[in-house]
Amino acid sequence: MTSIKRAGRLTTFGFAVGAGLLVASGAGAAVASAAPDDSGHASTSSSSSSARSARPCAGPTAKPKPPRSVSSSDVSAPVVALHTKRSSAQVSAAAAAPAMSTKQATVKRASALPTPGQVQQTIVAGLDSARRRLDDLRQKIETLVANQIIGLQDNLVTLRIDLERVFNPNKQIIYGNLANAQYWAAGGAQTSNLMAAAMVISAITGQTVTAQNIIDEAMNTDSVARPGRAMYLGTNTYDWVWATDAVQLMENHGVKVTTVYYTKSQEQRALNTVETALSQGKSVIVSINGTVVSSNTSSQEQWTTEHQAVLLGINITKNLVYLNDGANPQGQNLTMSIEDFLDAWQASRYTAIIAELAPATAQTTREANAA
């Protein structure tokens, strides 16, 4: 059994060696058929011819087969590329084309860059835009701060009134200077703006400005409201004087003027504003309209013409308002209830002209007093 097994193993080994040689010879033939031939082109023989060429020769006497000729009709024939000669002009043009393209690209990139002038204009425009934005921001901040200060002042005035009412119930709380009633000037409804301006100028600057003084000045001063004519044409012409012209006359006399107005829902704020101005020694001109009842005369006069009057003071304790009205022949130191005054004032959107001595004039006055 041992010899039989050994013989079987040898036989198996022999078959394995023979199969290995056969496989090796076939792989070598396949590599040979895939290798380039003498002409530099890959072999075009079919798989069947490769298989035939891979067969071992029958013996040393076997004759080599003649080389296979390839006809033009063979579709498996290699394609040979034909090379043509190029002229020197074409070669020069081809060589010059990249150079020209590079030069053109360089010129194009250079032309795309901004000039120094354009850069400067861009910088200046940017700085101007930034400056305008800063100015707008500054104005908004100033307005916000001013509104906050005004609101704080209004609240302080209201708080002070409430505290005085609580701790001094018998004390009269009066805002304003009732002594300014002495500067009353009357000239009719058409010139009520002029009369109010005359009273304010006299009270603030100490100048004595009568009704006739202010009328003469208006007749000889160019109008800012109606250019090309005088502010006032005369008492016999039924001409009216505009409020803006009266303001201009006050400014000509060194008076600083600020005009304010409020909506119907801001009644308390409007009242607080004029109370604060009066408590600071400023003069206030109000526009009144509607039925105005005066309790200063026995006849309880009423009038409905819209006009300007000087607000002398407000008596919180007695609930009275004091007015110098230049449209009323008996309009010196008139008194009204606060409720009636607010009704008459509300019709003109609580319009008020707050006047004070201009800063330059105030400095000049202080220097004159010191001298």
Side-chain angles (χ1 to χ4, degrees):
M1 290 295 294
T2 303
S3 300
I4 295 173
K5 290 182 178 179
R6 186 180 297 111
R9 286 198 297 268
L10 290 175
T11 304
T12 302
F13 177 75
F15 276 115
V17 170
L21 292 176
L22 181 62
V23 171
S25 62
V31 171
S33 63
D37 58 6
D38 294 341
S39 62
H41 298 286
S43 174
T44 59
S45 60
S46 63
S47 59
S48 60
S49 63
S50 298
R52 289 193 301 269
S53 62
R55 295 176 184 174
C57 296
T61 59
K63 295 182 180 180
K65 293 182 179 181
R68 181 171 176 260
S69 61
V70 180
S71 64
S72 59
S73 62
D74 193 349
V75 295
S76 63
V79 178
V80 179
L82 298 179
H83 298 282
T84 58
K85 293 185 179 181
R86 301 169 65 184
S87 63
S88 59
Q90 292 175 341
V91 173
S92 301
M100 292 178 64
S101 300
T102 304
K103 184 176 181 181
Q104 291 175 353
T106 303
V107 172
K108 184 176 182 179
R109 286 195 298 269
S111 62
L113 295 175
T115 63
Q118 293 174 339
V119 173
Q120 182 178 3
Q121 291 178 356
T122 302
I123 294 175
V124 171
L127 292 176
D128 289 340
S129 178
R131 178 182 55 79
R132 287 193 298 270
R133 291 181 180 179
L134 289 176
D135 289 341
D136 293 341
L137 179 61
R138 176 181 56 80
Q139 292 176 359
K140 291 180 180 179
I141 293 175
E142 289 178 353
T143 302
L144 177 62
V145 172
N147 290 337
Q148 293 295 330
I149 293 175
I150 293 174
L152 178 61
Q153 290 175 344
D154 294 345
N155 293 334
L156 289 176
V157 170
T158 305
L159 177 62
R160 184 171 62 182
I161 293 173
D162 293 338
L163 291 175
E164 289 179 350
R165 283 177 173 174
V166 171
F167 294 103
N168 298 297
N170 298 324
K171 180 182 177 181
Q172 291 194 43
I173 304 172
I174 302 176
Y175 297 103
N177 186 0
L178 302 183
N180 288 335
Q182 62 180 312
Y183 302 115
W184 174 65
Q190 289 85 357
T191 59
S192 63
N193 292 334
L194 290 180
M195 299 303 109
M199 290 184 271
V200 167
I201 294 171
S202 299
I204 292 180
T205 66
Q207 307 171 18
T208 302
V209 181
T210 64
Q212 192 59 48
N213 292 149
I214 201 71
I215 288 175
D216 292 340
E217 187 174 351
M219 292 178 64
N220 292 280
T221 305
D222 292 336
S223 173
V224 295
R226 295 169 289 181
R229 50 156 290 171
M231 292 181 176
Y232 185 52
L233 300 181
T235 55
N236 297 325
T237 60
Y238 298 100
D239 189 25
W240 288 76
V241 179
W242 286 40
T244 51
D245 285 338
V247 168
Q248 184 61 52
L249 290 177
M250 287 189 284
E251 291 178 345
N252 292 346
H253 284 267
V255 176
K256 178 184 176 182
V257 177
T258 303
T259 302
V260 296
Y261 55 90
Y262 300 93
T263 63
K264 293 182 179 180
S265 62
Q266 296 176 317
E267 179 181 276
Q268 186 59 49
R269 182 177 177 183
L271 185 60
N272 291 343
T273 298
V274 295
E275 287 176 348
T276 301
L278 292 173
S279 66
Q280 294 172 346
K282 301 176 182 179
S283 293
V284 177
I285 300 175
V286 292
S287 295
I288 52 180
N289 191 10
T291 301
V292 180
V293 180
S294 173
S295 59
N296 195 41
T297 61
S298 59
S299 60
Q300 296 287 309
E301 297 182 18
Q302 300 183 15
W303 62 97
T304 57
T305 304
E306 180 180 358
H307 60 282
Q308 289 187 338
V310 177
L311 180 62
L312 299 174
I314 301 175
N315 190 325
I316 300 297
T317 306
K318 293 185 177 182
N319 194 40
L320 291 177
V321 171
Y322 302 89
L323 297 170
N324 258 2
D325 191 346
N328 187 346
Q330 299 180 354
Q332 185 177 15
N333 198 24
L334 296 178
T335 59
M336 300 172 57
S337 68
I338 294 179
E339 290 77 16
D340 289 339
F341 166 71
L342 290 175
D343 289 341
W345 188 28
Q346 179 268 333
S348 64
R349 299 179 62 190
Y350 301 110
T351 300
I353 297 174
I354 300 175
E356 60 185 313
L357 200 62
T361 306
Q363 179 67 24
T364 304
T365 303
R366 285 194 296 268
E367 292 176 354
N369 294 334

